[in-house]
Structures are given as C-alpha cells and as structure tokens.
Amino acid sequence: MRASAASTGSKLPAARLRVGFILANHFTLTAFSTFVDTLRLAADEGDGSRQIHSSWTVMSASGKPVRASCGVELLPQSELVAPGRFDYIAVIGGLLHKGSQIDAATTAYLKSAATAGVTKLSAHSHAHSCPVPSTYPRFTPPCDTLPT
C-alpha cells in the first residue's frame, strides 16, 4: 500500500479540475450526487476519495442548508467562493413549482462568474427549466456548457 501525501508530509498537487457547486432550492438530488460522485471517482486512485486530480466545493449565498426535492437537506461547505478559484460552476436545479430557485445574491454571483470568464453548467431533471438567470440568453439546459 502506498503512503498518502499526508502521512509522508508531502503536499498534494493542485487539482487539475476545480468545480464549484450551487444547489438551487429543491434541487434534484440524483443530478447532484451523480455529478459529484463522478468527480470523486476521478479525483483519486485506489478508492481513496481524496480531492487530488479534481476538487469541488458546495456553496450557497447564506451558508444555510439547502433542501433537495426529496426533502433531504444538504449543508454547503462554504458561502460563495471567488469565482476565479473554479474552472466550472455547476448550478444544480430542481422543482419549478416550489418558487424561486436561486436568490438575488446567487444571481449576482453567477453574473460575476460570467464576467470572470468562468464556465457555468446546469444539471437537473427538467430539460425545459434552468435556475441560471435569464441574463444568459444562449443557455441550453441541461448539463450543457453555458457560453460566456
């Protein structure tokens, strides 16, 4: 068995892929879990689940738990992080009939990410819906790259 970087005192290399996640109100848990688990499996070898080759951060404007469409609440890891720290920002949407999906602070954050040139993604179960603000007219949901 190989010694981990932490046990040998060596520093882990910077991740080659950095993804920030924003969970919309009543987000689809399957869309989020499939996306993040794929990153987890690609991030390390030998089922170590370390964020080596890819890294991710789950964020929200408030830092408060976000409810999935199934009722499960997920506590974000942090409040909104500077967009330039990510290669991609993924917005995970969900139920449309439950009201606003993202708040004004998150909308402003996504606009600043667009200005910074960070690529936005959207993932959800509704091909006709998107929690990303309408200020991105060329957006094609779901899971397509949002042009800057």
Side-chain angles (χ1 to χ4, degrees):
M1 183 162 111
R2 289 187 314 196
S4 71
S7 67
T8 62
S10 63
K11 188 176 178 182
L12 291 174
R16 293 181 291 195
L17 175 65
R18 300 162 302 158
V19 179
F21 283 99
I22 294 175
L23 305 176
N25 294 322
H26 302 283
F27 69 97
T28 304
L29 187 58
T30 301
F32 171 67
S33 63
T34 301
F35 197 156
V36 78
D37 211 37
T38 300
L39 285 173
R40 179 189 69 83
L41 292 168
D44 196 3
E45 297 174 8
D47 201 27
S49 293
R50 296 174 298 166
Q51 295 187 29
I52 297 173
H53 303 298
S54 61
S55 65
W56 55 92
T57 302
V58 179
M59 311 175 286
S60 77
S62 69
K64 294 179 182 175
V66 182
R67 183 179 301 272
S69 59
C70 65
V72 170
E73 291 186 340
L74 194 138
L75 181 64
Q77 294 167 287
S78 75
E79 292 184 2
L80 300 173
V81 174
R85 293 190 51 198
F86 301 110
D87 300 304
Y88 296 93
I89 295 175
V91 180
I92 311 298
L95 298 178
L96 297 178
H97 56 64
K98 292 289 187 176
S100 177
Q101 295 229 326
I102 57 176
D103 58 20
T106 303
T107 299
Y109 175 78
L110 291 170
K111 288 178 182 180
S112 72
T115 301
V118 178
T119 302
K120 273 96 35 222
L121 307 171
S122 177
H124 44 82
S125 62
H126 306 291
H128 61 278
S129 66
C130 175
V132 179
S134 61
T135 55
Y136 304 109
R138 296 184 348 224
F139 179 75
T140 306
C143 299
D144 289 341
T145 299
L146 179 64
T148 55

